[in-house]
Amino acid sequence: MKAMILAAGLGKRMRPLTDTLPKPLLRAGGKPLIQYHIERLREAGITDVVINTAYLGEKIRQFLGGGRELGVTIVYSEEPQPLETGGAVNRALNLLGPEPFLLVNADIWTDYSLAHLSRWSMPQHILGHLVFVSNPQHNRGGDYTLDESGYVVPQCDEGLTFSGVSMLSPGLIEHYPRRRETFPLREALDFAIANRQLTGEIYDGDWRDIGTPERLQQLDRDLSVRVPPD
């Protein structure tokens, strides 16, 4: 199994921290955010990793290289400008291959077990399995919800927040009729939801959307307590 880490965003809400450093390389607990994901992927036995880059992408490549020091093999999907999440996956399909893959947003932190997700067996008619969390303060309305059979459905009164962690079939993008160079992944997810082709699960452990300098600082404080410095 392969994995893709979405790392091409501009990080506008993190300025001035991202004026000279891409968001995935911002540090918390002594490590860049993206390094946590790579380490968890390696622990899950996933060593083939695709990373998309655009804004200050050369700094990500300089830091990670081919992934040897972290025990993985990294290939890069370079974008002339950010293609949004759907466009990014679409561009990288030839690198990801024909089998389901894990997709992780670089700008989150979680202790969710990627090994657990990698063992999930995707039924033939399903195009993706999404991990959800309870709604944080900055997304009180949520994104979607799950029905009693575990299918993802449009949210009703109380939704859930998509964590940015999922297993996807390439068919999610390949079969989306409006796929184009630049588009959000949510469009393809909504199309699959309408056809009952997405399932999901709820994770109640530690998950953070590192969308502001304040959230990064809080994560840094929390991780510094958990993990003694080297």
Side-chain angles (χ1 to χ4, degrees), residues 3-194:
M4 181 174 182
I5 301 176
L6 295 171
L10 298 174
K12 293 180 179 179
R13 292 179 298 164
M14 298 297 287
R15 290 176 177 168
L17 299 177
T18 51
D19 285 344
T20 58
L21 200 67
K23 190 175 180 181
L25 292 187
L26 296 179
R27 288 178 174 263
K31 295 179 187 179
L33 294 173
I34 197 169
Q35 185 173 339
Y36 288 102
H37 297 312
I38 293 173
E39 290 174 349
R40 291 190 180 279
L41 287 168
R42 184 193 64 218
E43 291 167 1
I46 300 172
T47 57
D48 290 324
V49 181
V50 177
I51 299 175
N52 72 317
T53 60
Y55 176 67
L56 298 178
E58 68 280 359
K59 295 196 173 184
I60 295 176
R61 294 191 297 273
Q62 289 168 5
F63 178 77
L64 295 175
R68 181 177 179 181
E69 292 188 3
L70 292 174
V72 298
T73 299
I74 297 174
V75 295
Y76 296 93
S77 178
E78 299 181 8
E79 302 173 8
Q81 65 280 326
L83 301 179
E84 299 190 52
T85 48
V89 176
N90 183 47
R91 186 181 181 92
L93 285 178
N94 64 317
L95 300 174
L96 292 165
E99 301 300 322
F101 59 91
L102 298 194
L103 184 67
V104 182
N105 290 358
D107 58 356
I108 64 164
W109 188 94
T110 182
D111 58 7
Y112 173 81
S113 171
L114 295 177
H116 165 76
L117 183 59
S118 70
R119 292 191 294 267
W120 189 77
S121 180
M122 184 177 292
Q124 188 172 3
H125 69 289
I126 296 297
L127 295 180
H129 185 77
L130 280 54
V131 178
F132 291 94
V133 295
S134 298
N135 297 331
Q137 289 293 331
H138 58 273
N139 191 41
R140 298 306 299 170
D143 301 311
Y144 302 108
T145 191
L146 299 175
D147 68 11
E148 63 279 359
S149 299
Y151 284 92
V152 183
V153 294
Q155 68 184 68
C156 300
D157 295 333
E158 294 186 10
L160 296 164
T161 291
F162 175 40
S163 69
V165 178
S166 59
M167 178 190 287
L168 301 180
S169 165
L172 177 76
I173 301 297
E174 293 170 341
H175 300 160
Y176 176 52
R178 295 192 62 243
R179 71 166 170 155
R180 52 204 186 275
E181 184 178 32
T182 302
F183 69 98
L185 182 63
R186 177 150 190 162
E187 287 186 8
L189 295 178
D190 287 345
F191 184 77
I193 288 169

